[in-house]
Amino acid sequence: MSNSDSKPIYVTQPHLPPLEEVIPYLEQIWANHQLTNGGPFHVRLEQALCDYLGVEHISLFANGTLALVTALQALRITGEVITTPYSFVATAHSLLWNGIKPVFVDIDPQTLNLDPDKIEAAITPQTTAILPVHVYGCPCDTKRIQKIADTYGLKVIYDAAHAFGVEDEGGSILRHGDLSILSFHATKVFTTFEGGAIISPDEKTKKRIDHLKNFGFADEVTVVAPGINGKMNEFQAAVGLAQLKHIKHALEARKEIHERYRKSLSEFNGVSIQIQPISARNNYSYFPLFVTAENQSSRDEVYGILKKNGIHARRYFFPLISNFPMYRGLPSSKQNNLPIATKAAEQILCLPIFPNLTHNDQERIINLILKT
Ligand code: T4K
């Protein structure tokens, strides 16, 4: 099939609930006039997500970035924070927005998450926290990270933007650390168009976060903190409630597509395809393909061939965060400090994966890759 007679295929496509299922929610919003500020759908979605995810305290946010910025505020994090360069740029930006210096540490070659073996060497008297990311929904080594944090008296905030619904042997991975954040952006497994959340370990912390996301208001006349406007509105919450009914089917469809890729691409032109380990419950949010040929340009060749054929795979995460101008000058950004992350950024291509990806379209993607 030529480029001109097929629709473009993007790395993801939102899996929306049928419109007729959303309309009754909208009618209720129109009828009761509560558009935001903790309305009935907001309350219901917090409870529904607690039940679905198996956690006790969730605060909804307008987006994942505001959730990250607020999580750092809630724990009064200052000084230096150890984090990964192999993530979406919002992870490190949340530190800069809080006047915190990011200290980049290299990643583990298998999981692509912060390498626990390298964290201790980066700790200084200014270090107050660790900000790891469960990249592509693959769980971090939470046990070892917590042990290091306990030894040095550090807080741990997990950027779990990719990890909606992911579980390890003990349950939701969102239970780890001091706080975890989620993103419900249009490109995520579960979406409220824009949206996010903070998962707290207790009611007191949730309350502080709820104040912070509402300008710091504790009641009509009391402001207890320099808060921000991070609130999720009723429309977003309604979309979330409607979508949650379809999440099981969406995850099953993703799993099938993930498995088909794994099976078909296990041998690719004689070069190996390394795939992240599968956790106790995965969400199949991304399909990172490692193009590990000696020739470093081959990832970009595959990217280019797919693009020419209307298939928009993405080089998440290239460039590394540490290569963006506002981070480049940091001592921890030096390439020789981050050899594994540098290699991953050069070799990984995220293939299209979303519930409505048809069998034919996936075959076309696989065949194009196998032919390169
Ligand atoms: N931490 C981590 C680890 C993150 O990955 C993210 C966000 C955050 C924090 C921050 O959370 P939020 O503040 O975003 O809630 C996307 C997303 O914008 C971003 O949310 C996401 N991570 C990042 C990994 O990917 P782009 O620039 O690649 O998105 P974009 O607009 O190019 O979309 C990719 C493809 O998705 C498009 O080619 C087509 C499809 N798409 C996209 C949108 C927006 C649709 O079909 N419909 C849509 O509405 O960053």
Side-chain angles (χ1 to χ4, degrees):
M1 204 183 288
S2 83
N3 197 8
S4 54
D5 50 18
S6 54
K7 273 205 222 140
I9 302 172
Y10 296 103
V11 69
T12 189
Q13 186 187 82
H15 184 64
L16 295 174
L19 194 53
E20 60 272 21
E21 290 183 21
V22 181
I23 302 289
Y25 290 95
L26 300 190
E27 286 170 348
Q28 284 182 57
I29 296 173
W30 259 247
N32 70 23
H33 302 132
Q34 173 104 31
L35 308 186
T36 185
N37 288 19
F41 288 134
H42 184 281
V43 173
R44 276 175 59 189
L45 183 59
E46 284 198 342
Q47 190 52 55
L49 286 175
C50 281
D51 295 344
Y52 178 77
L53 296 169
V55 297
E56 282 185 49
H57 307 284
I58 280 193
S59 303
L60 297 176
F61 272 78
N63 59 63
T65 304
L66 277 170
L68 267 174
V69 168
T70 308
L72 293 159
Q73 282 279 323
L75 298 180
R76 300 181 175 86
I77 305 297
T78 56
E80 294 178 5
V81 168
I82 289 171
T83 191
T84 169
Y86 194 75
S87 181
F88 188 60
V89 73
T91 307
H93 278 358
S94 71
L95 297 171
L96 289 197
W97 271 70
N98 278 292
I100 296 164
K101 179 177 168 187
V103 175
F104 296 113
V105 161
D106 208 4
I107 57 172
D108 175 273
Q110 191 66 31
T111 63
L112 307 173
N113 295 325
L114 212 49
D115 185 343
D117 280 339
K118 299 187 178 139
I119 293 176
E120 282 188 86
I123 296 173
T124 74
Q126 282 71 49
T127 311
T128 57
I130 308 172
L131 175 58
V133 181
H134 302 296
V135 173
Y136 308 136
C138 175
C140 292
D141 190 337
T142 52
K143 275 197 196 109
R144 289 191 58 205
I145 290 173
Q146 195 56 53
K147 197 158 175 238
I148 296 166
D150 291 343
T151 305
Y152 292 89
L154 307 176
K155 300 283 188 199
V156 183
I157 298 171
Y158 281 103
D159 180 339
H162 302 174
F164 184 89
V166 173
E167 293 183 354
D168 59 21
E169 330 64 57
S172 171
I173 59 162
L174 303 170
R175 73 190 189 284
H176 295 294
D178 295 278
L179 296 172
S180 288
I181 78 96
L182 286 170
S183 164
F184 306 146
H185 181 257
T187 54
K188 298 296 188 284
V189 163
F190 171 79
T191 180
T192 56
F193 290 18
E194 293 275 0
I198 301 181
I199 290 79
S200 301
D202 53 62
E203 186 58 37
K204 191 169 164 228
T205 312
K206 172 176 161 55
K207 207 165 182 184
R208 175 164 164 74
I209 288 165
D210 287 346
H211 292 156
L212 280 170
K213 76 174 190 188
N214 187 25
F215 313 99
F217 277 110
D219 61 41
E220 204 177 315
V221 291
T222 316
V223 172
V224 293
I228 198 164
N229 182 357
K231 293 175 269 101
M232 176 181 277
N233 67 48
E234 285 292 277
F235 177 81
Q236 290 171 287
V239 169
L241 282 167
Q243 209 198 35
L244 204 51
K245 294 186 178 152
H246 299 271
I247 192 74
K248 191 168 176 275
H249 163 74
L251 293 180
E252 282 165 5
R254 283 177 172 278
K255 184 175 184 206
E256 259 181 47
I257 294 164
H258 207 278
E259 282 172 356
R260 213 174 296 133
Y261 273 139
R262 278 175 84 100
K263 232 165 132 192
S264 311
L265 296 172
S266 57
E267 180 121 342
F268 163 50
N269 254 6
V271 301
S272 70
I273 288 168
Q274 184 193 350
I275 293 167
Q276 284 177 296
I278 295 281
S279 39
R281 189 172 85 171
N282 200 341
N283 66 6
Y284 310 97
S285 48
Y286 294 84
F287 191 90
L289 176 75
F290 293 62
V291 185
T292 54
E294 288 298 296
N295 175 2
Q296 293 296 333
S297 70
S298 58
R299 185 276 307 266
D300 289 346
E301 274 169 23
V302 178
Y303 169 80
I305 289 166
L306 291 177
K307 198 168 179 178
K308 244 203 278 169
N309 285 274
I311 294 153
H312 300 267
R314 290 297 284 263
R315 289 167 292 184
Y316 294 134
F317 291 100
F318 169 82
L320 288 181
I321 299 177
S322 45
N323 286 337
F324 288 120
M326 60 297 297
Y327 301 104
R328 208 180 280 153
L330 293 169
S332 63
S333 293
K334 292 204 172 72
Q335 198 168 314
N336 61 6
N337 185 46
L338 307 167
I340 310 289
T342 302
K343 206 165 155 197
E346 284 166 358
Q347 293 186 336
I348 289 177
L349 190 60
C350 285
L351 299 183
I353 183 164
F354 50 89
N356 293 334
L357 181 66
T358 65
H359 196 85
N360 280 352
D361 282 343
Q362 191 180 9
E363 284 293 296
R364 197 154 71 83
I365 296 165
I366 291 166
N367 288 336
L368 278 166
I369 293 170
L370 294 177
K371 268 197 268 163
T372 57

